[in-house]
Amino acid sequence: MKKIYKNVVGLLVLGLTFASCENYLDDVPKGAKAPATLADFEAFLRDEYNFRVEAKGASDLLNDRFLGIAALSNDRLASANYMWDEEADRIQLKPSDETAYYAGYASISTCNLLIENVLTATNATEAEKRTVWAQSKILRAMSYYNLVNFYADTYVASTAATKLSVPLITSANINAPSRQVTIQEMYDFILADIKESIPYLPKTAQTILHPNLGTAYAFSARVYLQMNNYTEALKNADLALAENNKLYDWKAYYETNKAIIDVPNSYTTTVSPMGYNYVENYNMRHSQQIYSYSTLITEYDIPVERAQRFETGDARFISRWKIRTVGAETYYRRTLSGSFNYAGMTTVEVYLIKAECLARANQISDALGVLNTVRKTRILAASYQDIVTTDKTTALNAIFRTKNNELILTLIPFADARRLNAEGVYKVGFTKTAGGTTYTLSPESHLWTMPFPQGAFKNPGNGTLTQNVEK
């Protein structure tokens, strides 16, 4: 699946940054082929690299990935996030981390090209063309969700109509105007894309890279949860689980591979099950931090303090990381290699969305039933006990803990923390000690919103761009 389709016009240059021909399809370079058939257009959706999602800055802020002394010295922006440096001017440091912005808009540009042109494709039925059109809308909506939850404040109903989000571009025209819309406008746009796509999405898609009906319902649940609309989030979670409710048995994976995993001081990798055939997938999108054309893709290492937040006996954790000391540094070394679905929709996320929504509605027993369904596929029998409580806060904290662990190294723990901090009831903050100094990330810190990169800010294309954070 990793082949880039160079026989179609595959170099989609982001209109925010560059100016060239009026439309991608108006001026075809000599020797290239303009997409005409449905197969030509649909090939864009198989370009895995173009649909990658960068969440490195979010993982740095959460201390979900380990940064050693050398990395902290070499990457000043990563250091500012990782060490929670409130005095750092991240806007000035931003040129070292622009991928999240440009990768997001490159994906959106591809989707805009398809949405505008695929319905005129040849060699296809109307239904087939509508399917690719709908899949492009879902992927575009997912990209905008990632951008708005990285560069803008989190959704709060009382302020969403006045606070700015990110530029909205709906045309593949190089010179298309952009407007930095409000957070409310962006969420309305995302929901509209989802709604328009659902009637045309298949239950089973062409490949796991192509969104199916379950993807749309699962993504809807994610969006509504971020908006604190628990009724709609629960409704869509149930619809998604009706399409796919499978959970992977990590206990069985550990038992199969423990002869390798349990060898002391050995960091031989085992094969990641979280790739194209992972039973929990609705759709698959790669993450920048692990995307490679190599057959040996690995995850990030994680800090000792982060590892301590996993449950005892968590087979998923035991199968992925192992403690290691190199010189003065101790961390948990990654031990899986292969493919990882860090940016698509998965059943485990939907189960935990459902669990939170049920707990929010004071259906505590039902919420814990869903949570424990997940945990039974993760926690080894020697350590497993059902979580049982009648206390809403205790139940929700257990759900949040499991979700953060399940979706580590994705954008979702960052998005959830911002949502909870804005709510003000289940606030997320961190404290750590390094080199004898105590560092704190407060729930109110401005660091929870990432600044736009300087390149985009200084050259916003055919529009304007206002920073959403001072530094």
Side-chain angles (χ1 to χ4, degrees), residues 339-359:
S339 297
F340 301 83
N341 187 9
Y342 276 175
M345 299 303 309
T346 58
T347 58
V348 69
E349 179 181 352
V350 177
Y351 271 104
L352 296 169
I353 289 173
K354 178 175 181 176
E356 179 178 347
C357 292
L358 290 170

Side-chain angles (χ1 to χ4, degrees), residues 116-290:
E116 285 186 320
N117 295 284
V118 74
L119 295 181
T120 64
T122 60
N123 297 0
T125 66
E126 286 302 311
E128 290 170 334
K129 290 186 284 188
R130 276 291 175 187
T131 293
V132 174
W133 176 87
Q135 290 167 332
S136 302
K137 277 189 165 273
I138 288 293
L139 290 171
R140 180 173 71 178
M142 293 179 76
S143 293
Y144 271 125
Y145 174 92
N146 296 331
L147 289 165
V148 74
N149 279 286
F150 195 78
Y151 291 111
D153 287 346
T154 194
Y155 183 93
V156 176
S158 61
T159 61
T162 57
K163 286 189 174 183
L164 290 175
S165 64
V166 298
L168 178 63
I169 306 173
T170 59
S171 173
N173 188 313
I174 286 289
N175 296 312
S178 68
R179 183 169 69 90
Q180 189 177 3
V181 297
T182 66
I183 295 172
Q184 186 65 58
E185 287 175 303
M186 181 55 71
Y187 272 82
D188 288 344
F189 180 84
I190 290 169
L191 290 172
D193 261 0
I194 299 170
K195 182 178 179 180
E196 291 169 6
S197 72
I198 284 176
Y200 306 104
L201 289 170
K203 294 177 75 67
T204 302
Q206 301 95 312
T207 74
I208 200 62
L209 302 176
H210 296 69
N212 58 15
L213 186 59
T215 307
Y217 289 137
F219 179 54
S220 294
R222 176 190 285 181
V223 174
Y224 279 118
L225 183 71
Q226 199 67 32
M227 300 174 74
N228 304 304
N229 187 334
Y230 307 117
T231 300
E232 286 298 317
L234 177 59
K235 172 185 172 183
N236 281 280
D238 281 334
L239 289 168
L241 292 172
E243 297 296 320
N244 180 13
N245 65 356
K246 296 185 176 95
L247 287 169
Y248 185 75
D249 189 346
W250 278 92
K251 296 188 299 180
Y253 180 89
Y254 168 73
E255 291 297 328
T256 299
N257 294 281
K258 68 179 181 178
I260 297 173
I261 294 169
D262 289 349
V263 176
N265 302 314
S266 172
Y267 302 94
T268 301
T269 60
T270 55
V271 177
S272 166
M274 296 183 288
Y276 304 104
N277 298 319
Y278 195 43
V279 297
E280 297 183 3
N281 289 346
Y282 291 106
N283 77 308
M284 181 165 181
R285 289 183 77 165
H286 290 284
S287 180
Q288 171 69 11
Q289 60 254 45
I290 53 84

Side-chain angles (χ1 to χ4, degrees), residues 393-426:
T393 297
T394 302
L396 281 170
N397 283 331
I399 294 164
F400 298 149
R401 177 188 184 185
T402 299
K403 190 177 181 187
N404 286 336
N405 289 337
E406 286 292 327
L407 300 177
I408 188 173
L409 301 180
T410 76
L411 182 65
I412 302 308
F414 177 74
D416 278 347
R418 288 157 33 101
R419 171 172 62 90
L420 296 174
N421 286 340
E423 180 188 12
V425 180
Y426 309 99

Side-chain angles (χ1 to χ4, degrees), residues 9-16 23-24 44-45 50-51 101-117 136 139-140 143-144 147 169-176 285:
V9 185
L11 183 60
L12 299 181
V13 184
L14 179 60
L16 280 176
N23 188 288
Y24 294 119
F44 284 108
L45 298 184
N50 192 50
F51 287 96
Y101 190 85
Y102 292 118
Y105 277 105
S107 300
I108 288 166
S109 184
T110 299
C111 293
N112 286 340
L113 176 70
L114 294 174
I115 291 165
E116 285 186 320
N117 295 284
S136 302
L139 290 171
R140 180 173 71 178
S143 293
Y144 271 125
L147 289 165
I169 306 173
T170 59
S171 173
N173 188 313
I174 286 289
N175 296 312
R285 289 183 77 165

Side-chain angles (χ1 to χ4, degrees), residues 55-64 81 150 410-411 414-415 450:
K56 185 172 63 175
S59 294
D60 290 346
L61 191 74
L62 295 175
N63 281 201
D64 277 357
N81 285 322
F150 195 78
T410 76
L411 182 65
F414 177 74
M450 300 294 169

Side-chain angles (χ1 to χ4, degrees), residues 44-111:
F44 284 108
L45 298 184
R46 298 173 186 256
D47 182 349
E48 299 171 272
Y49 183 75
N50 192 50
F51 287 96
R52 70 197 189 279
V53 176
E54 171 64 80
K56 185 172 63 175
S59 294
D60 290 346
L61 191 74
L62 295 175
N63 281 201
D64 277 357
R65 72 166 183 139
F66 173 72
L67 293 180
I69 296 170
L72 292 173
S73 299
N74 294 331
D75 191 333
R76 294 168 60 206
L77 177 61
S79 177
N81 285 322
Y82 192 77
M83 301 308 296
W84 308 323
D85 186 355
E86 299 246 348
E87 300 305 315
D89 189 341
R90 295 179 302 160
I91 295 172
Q92 294 302 314
L93 300 177
K94 199 60 180 175
S96 66
D97 182 24
E98 299 189 342
T99 307
Y101 190 85
Y102 292 118
Y105 277 105
S107 300
I108 288 166
S109 184
T110 299
C111 293

